[in-house]
Amino acid sequence: MKHTRSAGWTVLPVALVLACAFTGGVGLATQGAPGQRDFTKELANKMRGTFVVAATGGVLMQDSTIPQTSAAIQRILRDANTTIGHLEFYDADRSPGPVPSSPRQLAQDLADLGYDLLGLGDGQGGDTMMRSGLEALTELKLPVARSDRQPVFRTLPIGRVAFINAPSPVRLGTEKYVTAAQLAQLKAIRDSLVARRTEADVARPIGVPEDLPDRVTIFADTFVLGPVAGEIREELNAADREANLMAVRSIKEFADFVALSMPMPPTLKAAHHSAARRPHDAVVALAHDLVDNGMDMYVGSGNHVVQGVEIYKGRPIFYNLGDLSVHRHAVGTPESRTAVLATSTYQDGVLQEVKLYPIDLGVNPLERPASTLGIPMTPSSEVASRILADLQRDSTPFGTKIVVENGVGIIRVPREATVAIGQNIKDFGTFPRGGGAGGGRGGRGGRGGGGV
């Protein structure tokens, strides 16, 4: 049963969090009396007793339809100890639109639905476009984490929960992936252009190339040998990656449980033959590193389709749960009209079970009145089976076994799956605080275990 919102919430600036972390933490070390902290304990899930987290993907809507949400879905969200989600822009703040509700009404409905901690999307104008909605959410004491890694907190009798909303660290490049055969053909084309560079009728002579063996540049376009032809190369921004790891690790010293939401662009590869239901490899690697630095739950959003679930070292990674609700005027694709609501149950900090509830937003739009499109409903048995079968397929590459019982996906996690983290990372602070040789004065980095 959810505790009342009066349990307490706090917004703590990242600057203060990091400052404390770099100086030894709050009450963890003092000048002349260095504290010896065990990072395997510091970065663990320290929630006591039974703790249930409900998580959803994006909450997008143009007017408030929450009271029409299936009663079963509402009950799950309200019964959890903590419910988190990712709030996109509120359209009534942005444009007139058809039949918008007031931001105050939407905020009240979100609170009534059971949300305790919300991340705010940085697209479509972000908090500038949501100014009146944010004011209403603030009045209701419903914490909203902006996409700047500044955490919001919820304090319960069983422990303190921190929620971080981080900006996407993935950057699109300009290089396009090609196969080996295509790369050879492109190099032949490039070589023929180079051979003609001195002829009088060549308007744009191409320079003598200095390309690496796995790429070729023709005029302003670069092609790289890659896994899937036609995709655009992407990679993590190194500074963003480090900032995310630093935020999680330092904030964990102020909390017993840390959840992180990270929106991914809806078309990472600009729809170039992208398998949208598979998360980007760089995102998978980053999620693992975040767990190794203290993150207890990852909830992706922004891609607007359901992606796989991974249990990594006993921590759930929901690469994308789809959208709990969508703008009713936006029909979208069948994949974007399904979603999953996830609940994770812990006992004394150890994950025991994850339940995955399928949601139908109008997967068959002609079978629904237009007035109910985009509203989360409990699906028919046929649609539920299809959603969960897709989720099973997309989760299998991560070694995740999902069994289906009574229309609900269940992941049972053995106790031994939860392993300790923090053995091989260095402290941010000026004093060694555990981890054996992993400590060190002024230590800020250190590989191993995904350390920064």
Side-chain angles (χ1 to χ4, degrees):
M1 182 67 65
K2 187 185 297 294
H3 296 282
T4 61
R5 206 169 304 282
S6 59
W9 65 278
T10 310
V11 176
L12 194 63
V14 165
L16 174 60
V17 173
L18 292 180
C20 292
F22 278 102
T23 57
V26 176
L28 299 183
T30 57
Q31 192 69 30
Q36 298 295 323
R37 308 294 293 187
D38 183 352
F39 259 72
T40 61
K41 295 180 179 179
E42 204 70 63
L43 300 183
N45 178 349
K46 302 180 287 293
M47 299 297 286
R48 302 176 295 279
T50 303
F51 177 52
V52 180
V53 182
T56 71
V59 181
L60 300 85
M61 58 188 62
Q62 188 171 43
D63 60 301
S64 179
T65 58
I66 289 174
Q68 296 176 276
T69 298
S70 292
I73 296 172
Q74 295 190 45
R75 184 171 59 253
I76 294 166
L77 294 171
R78 291 171 181 155
D79 285 351
N81 296 105
T82 296
T83 299
I84 60 178
H86 187 86
L87 184 64
E88 291 292 336
F89 65 92
Y90 179 58
D91 215 13
D93 284 346
R94 186 171 70 97
S95 63
V99 202
S101 299
S102 72
R104 187 174 301 278
Q105 182 61 56
L106 174 61
Q108 184 63 62
D109 285 346
L110 288 168
D112 291 344
L113 191 55
Y115 280 106
D116 300 296
L117 301 168
L118 287 168
L120 179 64
D122 58 0
Q124 307 294 338
D127 57 1
T128 300
M129 296 302 184
M130 288 191 59
R131 54 191 179 276
S132 54
L134 282 171
E135 291 170 1
L137 290 167
T138 301
E139 290 177 7
L140 292 169
K141 295 183 171 57
L142 206 168
V144 178
R146 294 173 173 83
S147 57
D148 57 3
R149 305 184 189 90
Q150 177 172 291
V152 290
F153 293 91
R154 174 170 168 78
T155 303
L156 302 171
I158 59 175
R160 196 180 196 206
V161 182
F163 185 51
I164 306 169
N165 188 26
S168 169
V170 178
R171 299 291 182 269
L172 276 174
T174 58
E175 301 92 347
K176 292 86 174 173
Y177 283 133
V178 293
T179 66
Q182 291 168 339
L183 183 66
Q185 292 172 336
L186 288 166
K187 284 191 174 184
I189 293 172
R190 189 273 318 276
D191 291 343
S192 67
L193 294 172
V194 170
R196 294 192 60 219
R197 71 185 185 279
T198 60
E199 295 181 14
D201 63 339
V202 175
R204 293 181 60 196
I206 190 170
V208 177
E210 296 181 358
D211 288 325
L212 296 174
D214 67 339
R215 68 196 60 208
V216 59
T217 299
I218 302 176
F219 297 114
D221 295 315
T222 299
F223 302 89
V224 180
L225 181 64
V228 180
E231 290 189 352
I232 297 177
R233 187 181 185 190
E234 301 155 331
E235 57 188 5
L236 288 181
N237 178 279
D240 281 351
R241 174 191 175 276
E242 181 175 350
N244 288 333
L245 299 183
M246 290 171 62
V248 166
R249 197 194 307 175
S250 56
I251 290 166
K252 191 60 176 285
E253 296 192 18
F254 294 83
D256 301 303
F257 183 94
V258 172
L260 182 140
S261 173
M262 182 178 291
M264 292 291 112
T267 53
L268 267 176
K269 301 178 178 66
H272 282 244
H273 311 293
S274 172
R277 296 188 66 97
R278 175 171 174 78
H280 192 281
D281 290 342
V283 175
V284 175
L286 176 61
H288 291 180
D289 285 346
L290 289 166
V291 167
D292 290 332
N293 280 270
M295 180 186 70
D296 298 294
M297 178 182 290
Y298 175 94
V299 183
S301 65
N303 202 46
H304 306 293
V305 296
V306 178
Q307 295 179 332
V309 178
E310 180 177 12
I311 307 299
Y312 176 71
K313 297 186 178 180
R315 283 78 172 175
I317 299 175
F318 305 110
Y319 286 107
N320 206 305
L321 294 171
D323 297 328
L324 180 77
S325 59
V326 298
H327 306 299
R328 289 196 285 173
H329 64 277
V331 177
T333 64
E335 290 79 10
S336 66
R337 296 195 298 272
T338 63
V340 171
L341 163 60
T343 62
S344 302
T345 300
Y346 302 83
Q347 184 64 41
D348 295 321
V350 177
L351 180 64
Q352 294 187 319
E353 183 180 74
V354 175
K355 289 188 175 181
L356 303 159
Y357 300 88
I359 293 175
D360 182 3
L361 303 172
V363 66
N364 298 314
L366 297 181
E367 297 180 7
R368 272 204 199 187
S371 61
T372 64
L373 288 178
I375 299 175
M377 298 287 187
T378 301
S380 66
S381 58
E382 178 185 355
V383 172
S385 297
R386 191 191 321 160
I387 295 172
L388 293 174
D390 289 343
L391 186 58
Q392 287 175 315
R393 178 200 64 208
D394 296 333
S395 301
T396 297
F398 303 111
T400 305
K401 182 179 180 181
I402 302 174
V403 297
V404 177
E405 297 178 4
N406 300 317
V408 178
I410 301 176
I411 304 172
R412 294 186 174 92
V413 185
R415 186 175 183 86
E416 59 270 19
T418 300
V419 299
I421 58 172
Q423 300 97 325
N424 300 312
I425 61 176
K426 292 182 180 180
D427 188 3
F428 286 144
T430 56
F431 299 104
R433 294 215 315 255
R441 178 173 291 275
R444 184 186 164 185
R447 298 288 177 180
V452 174

